[in-house]
């Protein structure tokens, strides 16, 4: 039994119904969490190695790589039943909106580092790293996430039911088919 179905089977009926009702948003959040981990790992790898002198660039590069992962996961899973656009048009809009998302994601980080001067030598290394994490990884990610979800549904994957999700095995509970 697939993981999602196993989780749904143990949830109380009202919670399961609510999860199914908002499954697109939950899938988007799961993809976002996965991409957050990709961004974090790559950002800190770059920031403490080859892009030590360019922390904002490290975040931008990490976010772009995570955006590519996001496109594949969102198209094939989160918004698998939505469509309405030719693939190349959909991809172009996705990456345009994601580019705006990268800018929105980086903005709090830039403000923290270069407007509020929360960087070494003005503050300790610990304060700098906490400020970087909160501004770039938390605040920036939240702002960009809300924008992306709204924009993807509005422009990239606008039409509900346009693409047919992959067929799944029938279960006694019709909600299971909707969860795949």
């Amino acid at each position: 039994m697939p993981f999602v179905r196993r989780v749904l089977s143990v949830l109380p009926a009202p919670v399961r119904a609510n999860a199914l009702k908002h499954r697109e948003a939950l899938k988007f959040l799961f993809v976002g969490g996965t991409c957050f981990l990709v961004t974090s790992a790559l950002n800190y790898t770059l920031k403490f190695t080859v892009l030590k002198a360019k922390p904002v660039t490290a975040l931008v590069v990490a976010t772009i790589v995570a955006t590519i992962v996001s496109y594949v996961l969102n198209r094939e899973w989160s918004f698998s039943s939505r469509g309405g656009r030719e693939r190349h048009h959909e991809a172009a809009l996705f990456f345009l909106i994601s580019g705006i998302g990268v800018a929105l994601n980086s903005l709090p980080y830039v403000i923290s580092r270069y407007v509020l001067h929360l960087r070494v030598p003005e503050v300790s290394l610990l304060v700098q790293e906490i400020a970087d994490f909160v501004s770039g990884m938390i605040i920036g990610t939240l702002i960009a996430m809300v924008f992306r979800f709204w924009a993807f549904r509005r422009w990239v994957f606008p039409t509900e039911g346009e693409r047919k999700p992959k067929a799944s095995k029938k279960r006694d509970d019709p909600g299971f088919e909707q969860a795949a």
Side-chain angles (χ1 to χ4, degrees), residues 18-30:
N18 203 23
L20 289 171
K21 181 180 175 185
H22 300 290
R23 68 185 171 275
E24 192 172 75
L26 292 173
K27 288 178 179 182
F28 181 81
L29 289 172
F30 185 81

Side-chain angles (χ1 to χ4, degrees), residues 22-157:
H22 300 290
R23 68 185 171 275
E24 192 172 75
L26 292 173
K27 288 178 179 182
F28 181 81
L29 289 172
F30 185 81
V31 168
T34 301
C35 291
F36 178 83
L37 294 175
V38 169
T39 303
S40 296
L42 190 53
N43 176 48
Y44 285 107
T45 299
L46 292 171
K47 182 177 170 179
F48 292 122
T49 58
V50 296
L51 292 175
K52 205 172 205 171
K54 303 208 179 257
V56 174
T57 303
L59 179 62
V60 169
V61 169
T63 305
I64 290 170
V65 170
T67 298
I68 295 166
V69 172
S70 173
Y71 175 67
V72 172
L73 294 176
N74 277 308
R75 183 178 199 294
E76 298 302 324
W77 191 52
S78 301
F79 300 110
S80 62
S81 67
R82 288 181 165 269
R85 305 215 182 272
E86 291 182 30
R87 187 125 191 203
H88 67 279
H89 189 220
E90 177 186 273
L93 283 171
F94 185 94
F95 288 106
L96 175 68
I97 288 167
S98 293
I100 295 167
V102 169
L104 289 172
N105 194 90
S106 302
L107 188 61
Y109 196 20
V110 169
I111 291 169
S112 173
R113 276 273 177 141
Y114 303 110
V115 175
L116 300 176
H117 301 287
L118 295 175
R119 61 180 184 218
V120 174
E122 286 86 0
V123 298
S124 70
L125 181 61
L126 178 63
V127 170
Q128 172 186 288
E129 293 309 314
I130 291 170
D132 286 355
F133 183 78
V134 170
S135 63
M137 298 304 297
I138 304 295
I139 296 170
T141 299
L142 289 173
I143 292 168
M145 178 188 65
V146 169
F147 168 74
R148 284 182 180 126
F149 184 70
W150 170 78
F152 289 164
R153 285 180 54 115
R154 174 113 167 102
W155 290 303
V156 180
F157 308 108

